[in-house]
Amino acid sequence: MSLRTRIAAAAGLAVALVVVIAAVAIYFGVRAELRGEVDNSLREQAADVGRQTEGGGPGSGELKDGTGSGAGRPPDRGRGEEFLPVPHPEPFGGPAGVEQLVLPSGRAVRRPGAGDALPVDSRAREIARTGAGEHFADMTVNGTHLRVLTRALPDRGAIQVARPLDEVDRQLDRVLLVLILVGAAGVALGAALAAVVARTALAPIGRFTRRTEELAGDPDPSHRIDAHGSDELGRLARSFNTTLDSLERSVEAQRQLVADASHELRTPIASLRANVQTLEHAERLPAAERESLREDIVAELDELTALVADIVELARGAKPGEPVDDVRLDEIVEGVVARARARANGVAIDVSTEPTVVRGAPERIQRAVSNLVDNALKWSPDDGRVEIDVTEEGLSVRDHGPGFEESDLPHVFDRFYRAGNARALPGSGLGLAIVRQAAEAHGGGVEAVNAPGGGALVRVSFSPRARASAGAAPPTG
């Protein structure tokens, strides 16, 4: 089922529910009003009959018991029986209704020739016996639907008056028919309008979907979706454009990396090829030159291997599903420094650390620290010194070499960027780029400045979200 159909069905169901509730409320409201008028009329009639029976007024006649026996028998005044007024004879259930007296004994008394008696139920007998209260009830006598009021006559039983509900029932039937027809028409109209509303409301979403499908089949990530307004659809379009921005930057970065890598790989591969071709005629070369040639090939292979490893490190970015743990940054730094001292060539390495725990990938953090230390050693003089500090704010590495040229500072973390005085030194220009990528992958950043007194100072920071407490779960290093 499509979203449009579901919305139309939900809206149609809501309209149908409202129509049904309104129809039921109207029906019972009209029913209560009509029956209320009948009840008020019965109260007035009962009060009038009660007043007439109090003094045995003019026109009083004989009583006839509810069983049809004892006709013409004088009333037993010692038992509280009274005369009912004798109106003009009318058919049973006529407009004037029905009247009868219920004695305290529970016996029904009515006028001679008044027709069938009203049934006397237990509630009517209780009112006649106690002489208090009133009670409405619906009865059907000889196929006539009646509304019956039983009202107490103090010390004289109770009076029962009834009126037919045929006219009320006919009016309610007509009201019910009208409500059914109007309700059905309302439900049908509501369903049609719900379908129109659903189609109108989802039209922008349909256009948005078609546009996203076009973009999905377009290899150019520079295209965008038109975002208008501040509603949910506009926010969705802007969010989608933000995703496209990230995708475009990622694709562009990958293209640039491939272009730079192909350029950087071209030189060592060409050199290797030349040396290998020269090695084909090794028998013509002196032994010393052959040995030097082999050493050059091994060195170039090592450089090529390191370059490929750096390119792979940069290309993988923040790898999804990479193992992340609480890592002791200070212990990683101490381990890297211990290994670096073996190749320091007389450069002193001073380390100041405090327990610092970060949340991240241990291998990437270790690679970044190693690159920073190697870069500092490369630029330090033989009798120089490298200073390393580890605090909760992050890691800082300072050397006492020539420092950065001002023109190089904005580019030192770029891929394959090498300063003019670094081109004669080994390296690919990817070491600090890997440091920046590792820092940003852990929510931090990097900074390169010239230290006061000379030398370069590189800081790597981690955001509070990536930083943990030193007293957290057992760290791994």
Side-chain angles (χ1 to χ4, degrees):
M1 180 183 294
S2 65
L3 179 60
R4 179 184 299 177
T5 303
R6 290 198 298 269
I7 293 177
L13 181 61
V15 171
L17 184 61
V18 171
V19 169
V20 170
I21 292 175
V24 171
I26 292 173
Y27 176 80
F28 281 102
V30 173
R31 181 178 182 272
E33 181 68 22
L34 294 176
R35 293 172 71 91
E37 293 178 358
V38 173
D39 291 347
N40 292 335
S41 176
L42 289 174
R43 288 191 180 97
E44 294 175 359
Q45 184 177 353
D48 184 58
V49 173
R51 285 193 299 268
Q52 294 182 30
T53 59
E54 287 180 357
S60 297
E62 295 180 344
L63 297 173
K64 179 179 180 182
D65 64 28
T67 62
S69 61
R73 186 178 61 185
D76 183 0
R77 300 203 181 264
R79 299 178 59 187
E81 296 177 353
E82 301 290 346
F83 289 106
L84 287 169
V86 180
H88 295 290
E90 291 189 17
F92 179 77
V98 181
E99 302 168 357
Q100 75 178 21
L101 185 67
V102 181
L103 301 178
S105 62
R107 184 163 58 89
V109 178
R110 64 191 184 283
R111 292 182 295 272
D116 295 332
L118 297 172
V120 181
D121 57 14
S122 59
R123 180 62 175 157
R125 293 190 182 94
E126 178 67 18
I127 293 174
R129 183 181 63 81
T130 60
E134 69 176 20
H135 173 64
F136 283 99
D138 285 2
M139 297 181 183
T140 301
V141 179
N142 292 337
T144 302
H145 189 199
L146 300 175
R147 182 70 167 168
V148 181
L149 168 62
T150 303
R151 172 177 287 183
L153 296 174
D155 300 328
R156 294 186 304 280
I159 185 70
Q160 280 190 315
V161 293
R163 289 214 172 178
L165 292 176
D166 294 344
E167 183 62 26
V168 173
D169 292 341
R170 284 192 295 270
Q171 292 184 19
L172 289 177
D173 290 342
R174 288 193 293 269
V175 169
L176 181 60
L177 179 60
V178 171
L179 289 177
I180 291 175
L181 295 177
V182 173
V187 171
L189 179 61
L193 291 177
V196 173
V197 169
R199 183 175 61 183
T200 303
L202 293 179
I205 298 180
R207 292 192 296 270
F208 180 86
T209 302
R210 288 190 295 272
R211 180 57 178 159
T212 56
E213 291 173 348
E214 292 174 0
L215 292 178
D218 189 346
D220 186 0
S222 63
H223 293 169
R224 296 294 181 269
I225 293 178
D226 295 335
H228 304 289
S230 58
D231 57 2
E232 289 78 3
L233 192 59
R235 291 168 55 193
L236 179 61
R238 285 188 289 273
S239 176
F240 193 82
N241 286 339
T242 302
T243 302
L244 290 177
D245 291 340
S246 300
L247 177 62
E248 183 180 12
R249 287 193 297 269
S250 177
V251 171
E252 185 61 30
Q254 294 298 324
R255 289 175 178 172
Q256 187 63 38
L257 177 62
V258 171
D260 293 341
S262 63
H263 175 74
E264 293 295 329
L265 288 171
R266 188 178 296 116
T267 299
I269 290 176
S271 179
L272 273 174
R273 180 177 181 179
N275 288 334
V276 169
Q277 288 176 342
T278 303
L279 196 60
E280 292 177 353
H281 308 283
E283 68 279 358
R284 301 178 184 177
L285 299 176
E289 291 185 7
R290 289 199 301 270
E291 184 63 26
S292 176
L293 186 60
R294 292 190 183 95
E295 291 177 356
D296 288 345
I297 291 176
V298 171
E300 289 172 349
L301 286 174
D302 291 340
E303 183 179 352
L304 183 61
T305 301
L307 177 59
V308 171
D310 289 342
I311 293 174
V312 171
E313 178 73 17
L314 284 172
R316 73 173 185 169
K319 184 178 179 181
E322 192 172 15
V324 176
D325 202 353
D326 290 338
V327 181
R328 283 285 293 272
L329 179 61
D330 55 307
E331 293 182 356
I332 288 180
V333 170
E334 290 172 355
V336 169
V337 169
R339 293 187 293 271
R341 283 195 173 105
R343 59 180 186 275
N345 295 326
V347 178
I349 302 177
D350 298 335
V351 182
S352 174
T353 64
E354 61 182 49
T356 304
V357 181
V358 296
R359 186 79 176 171
E363 293 182 359
R364 300 195 71 180
I365 294 176
Q366 181 175 345
R367 179 68 182 275
V369 173
S370 179
N371 285 356
L372 278 177
V373 174
D374 289 344
N375 185 75
L377 290 175
K378 181 172 67 173
W379 290 101
S380 296
D382 292 341
D383 57 348
R385 186 174 72 258
V386 174
E387 300 170 4
I388 301 175
D389 291 323
V390 178
T391 65
E392 290 186 355
E393 299 301 321
L395 168 66
S396 65
V397 178
R398 176 187 177 181
D399 62 53
H400 289 265
F404 299 110
E405 295 290 340
E406 291 298 326
S407 59
D408 294 331
L409 279 175
H411 308 288
V412 294
F413 294 104
D414 292 347
R415 296 171 178 175
F416 298 105
Y417 181 80
R418 305 186 72 184
N421 56 357
R423 300 187 185 278
L425 298 176
S428 61
L430 294 177
L432 293 182
I434 293 175
V435 172
R436 180 176 66 178
Q437 179 173 278
E440 292 176 349
H442 290 83
V446 292
E447 180 187 14
V449 295
N450 286 314
L457 175 62
V458 179
R459 299 187 184 96
V460 180
S461 62
F462 297 90
S463 72
R465 291 178 297 176
R467 195 183 303 138
S469 171
T476 62

